[in-house]
Amino acid sequence: MRSLAVYLAALAFGSAVLAAPKGCAHKVKETVVPPRGWTKAAPAPADHTIELRIGLPQPNFAELERHLYEVSNPFHERYGAHLTKEEVEALIAPHPESIQVVDEWLLSHGLSPEDLSRSPAQDWVKIEVPVRLAEKMLDTEYHVWVHEASGESLVRTTSYSLPENLHEHVDLVQPTTLFSTFKKMRSTARFSKTTPPVPVASAPPISDPTASGGKVDASCNETITITCLKQLYNAVGFTPSSKNGNKIGVTGYLGQFANLADFELFNEDQLPEAANATFNVVSVNGGQNDQDPDDAGDEADLDVQFAFGLTFPTPATFFTTAGSPPFIPDELTTSNSNEPYTEWLDFILEDPNPPQTISTSYADDEQTVPVSFAQRVCNGFAQLGARGVSLTFSSGDGGVGDGDPDPATQECISNDGRNVTRFIPLFPPSCPFVTAVGGTIHIPETAVDFSGGGFSNVFARPAYQDILVPEFLSKLAPGTFEGLFNPNGRAIPDVAAQADLFKVFIGGEAFLIGGTSAASPTFAGIVSLLNGARISSGLPPLGFLNPLIYAIGAIDPSAFNDITVGNNPGCGTQGFNATKGWDAVTGLGTPNFGRLKEIVTLDFIGLELNIGGTSVTL
């Protein structure tokens, strides 16, 4: 009966029963150095179920990338002509031969078509298997690894193999070598109960020539509110349409729940016209949004209150994705769900109509993410950008360091086996297809000292940074931080926004919150307002932002408030300095919504610009 079942399964696959060719030995596909801070505890339970994600090659990704840059480049005739979901999927689809060879391999291990699921483009195959079968398929041994600092556990291996004939047909298999512990930014509650009285309430406004009306309330140097952000970023008086199709979203992970009662309190306090407003909650992979006040998440409440408060009445969505460490291997749970982020990416790529702007305040040290995995996730962001989605990510709260907010305790040791000191950028902010947002504080704005910034060790510098980033590097004294960073890497952050002293309601009480976790939803809110203005003008959404914002930064510096004071210490150094132009602390600076709105509501094609004294027609 077993042979008959396998034969019928093969017919369903559309091929004969084909096991791996005789004599086709396994060959190592990927190996990583055991990561610092993780200890091998015990062999993984043989019956423990893991969900293998098999990534098939995307042979036409370079073509997708070409489309992405053409539709995102304001100087190109195709600017704004975003691709459809179906067009993107056609460009990333694997060769039929790859699909067939992988199917045959799975079939040779007794797995039927009913056991697996595929992404719409068929570039990912997912299948749940017990550890004992995964070890046989990958010629490896899984172990339970324990993170010494947090106590979190993962079932992982440091090396796996595939039959030689599969190597050209499989990019990666995970979870195998991925030790990333995707986490929220380190928001910190500065005060409990309620914010203290602000003694400068009657003080004269702060003069700021780029702010709305040229001034900002004095209280904004003590407490950041929606009013402060609208004043500071020149957005007073603009109300977006709620009916033009524009939408904004924020993501939530790791048991971070957005409390609706807190959202009401926030609006009553800061935005009375939105007193009865709410937001959609979309569950991903069984994600919950517990409304017990004791379970209200600081990160989730911060994100929804400021992103959705800035953009009211734009329709808003909170994506809550299941999966939260620590995994307890002794419980033999049905699956190891420490990797919720890929579940959200799968979900949003399948959504035919995602929000045009999405903010995320979660990341991990880039060096904990295998290069193959980082590249595939980054490719997923490119797909969203090509479809017209703008993605913002917090740049990090450890300066140039490893995420620890105390520069004095950062180890900043490389994970490549050399154990040398290196600056530690974060991923996904280091992906060149997203917009990384650093942080500022006070008015006039200065760089906040925890603002994450630096240079990727995985991704090369993209072309859109080839003018402004080398200018910054040229200002560094010879030998500055030599060997500590990759000067040819993708530079972060791209932009910045206020990142401290945000008044947030959590569990029914008011707190002041800090972190670039505040900067990302703030900048995303400004982007969503720009999208609303464009859509109401009959123009497409902005989509992938970076080619546009770097072009604007080079041509019209008034569109961003240049931050020239401050630095981001870490790894036993003072970090980089904020300086004129782009810098590795605040990027291009903070947004001037009024000026940006004037720019982005123009039809760029056919527009005449004066660049360096030369007239240029787009």
Side-chain angles (χ1 to χ4, degrees), residues 103 267 330 404 422 425 500 536 542 590:
D103 285 354
N267 287 334
D330 293 341
D404 189 328
R422 293 280 287 183
D500 207 355
S536 291
L542 293 168
T590 61

Side-chain angles (χ1 to χ4, degrees), residues 115-377:
D115 295 325
L116 60 87
S117 61
R118 303 181 192 273
S119 62
Q122 301 191 75
D123 58 326
W124 283 104
V125 176
K126 293 191 292 185
I127 190 161
E128 291 188 354
V129 296
V131 162
R132 65 166 64 88
L133 179 54
E135 291 180 331
K136 181 180 179 182
M137 294 169 65
L138 303 175
D139 191 25
T140 191
E141 293 182 355
Y142 278 89
H143 286 82
V144 176
W145 292 76
V146 178
H147 190 240
E148 298 166 3
S150 66
E152 296 175 10
S153 299
L154 295 172
V155 171
R156 293 293 187 269
T157 180
T158 56
S159 179
Y160 69 95
S161 301
L162 292 171
E164 281 196 76
N165 72 309
L166 255 70
H167 275 240
E168 64 179 303
H169 301 292
V170 173
D171 275 349
L172 73 162
V173 181
Q174 290 292 353
T176 49
T177 57
L178 176 65
F179 283 82
S180 170
T181 54
F182 195 65
K183 56 184 178 288
K184 71 185 181 73
M185 297 293 99
R186 294 177 181 268
S187 298
T188 54
R190 307 291 184 178
F191 297 93
S192 60
K193 298 299 181 183
T194 187
T195 53
V198 181
V200 295
S202 59
I206 303 167
S207 177
D208 187 326
T210 64
S212 294
K215 57 186 179 181
V216 180
D217 291 348
S219 62
C220 299
N221 255 330
E222 303 290 336
T223 305
I224 293 294
T225 64
I226 293 293
T227 296
C228 293
L229 295 175
K230 286 186 174 181
Q231 289 177 351
L232 182 60
Y233 297 141
N234 195 19
V236 172
F238 178 79
T239 301
S241 170
S242 62
K243 300 178 180 179
N244 64 357
N246 189 36
K247 298 183 293 183
I248 185 172
V250 299
T251 61
Y253 304 93
L254 312 179
Q256 279 284 314
F257 305 135
N259 190 276
L260 293 166
D262 288 339
F263 188 65
E264 290 181 8
L265 288 173
F266 176 85
N267 287 334
E268 290 173 4
D269 180 69
Q270 298 192 29
L271 206 67
E273 62 270 31
N276 296 316
T278 187
F279 51 86
N280 297 321
V281 176
V282 172
S283 171
V284 179
N285 195 37
Q288 303 296 310
N289 196 37
D290 191 339
Q291 293 301 292
D292 186 327
D294 292 338
D295 292 331
D298 55 352
E299 184 66 69
D301 275 358
L302 167 65
D303 289 350
V304 301
Q305 288 170 23
F306 275 89
F308 302 164
L310 273 172
T311 57
F312 174 80
T314 303
T317 299
F318 173 66
F319 295 96
T320 173
T321 303
S324 175
F327 160 64
I328 309 298
D330 293 341
E331 294 181 356
L332 290 180
T333 53
T334 56
S335 64
N336 181 354
S337 56
N338 292 67
E339 300 165 347
Y341 187 75
T342 51
E343 297 292 343
W344 177 82
L345 189 54
D346 289 346
F347 178 89
I348 204 70
L349 285 170
E350 291 190 33
D351 189 339
N353 188 29
Q356 294 90 340
T357 311
I358 303 175
S359 172
T360 298
S361 295
Y362 302 77
D364 202 2
D365 297 347
E366 183 186 67
Q367 66 175 5
T368 68
V369 183
V371 172
S372 60
F373 186 79
Q375 289 173 335
R376 282 300 291 256
V377 171

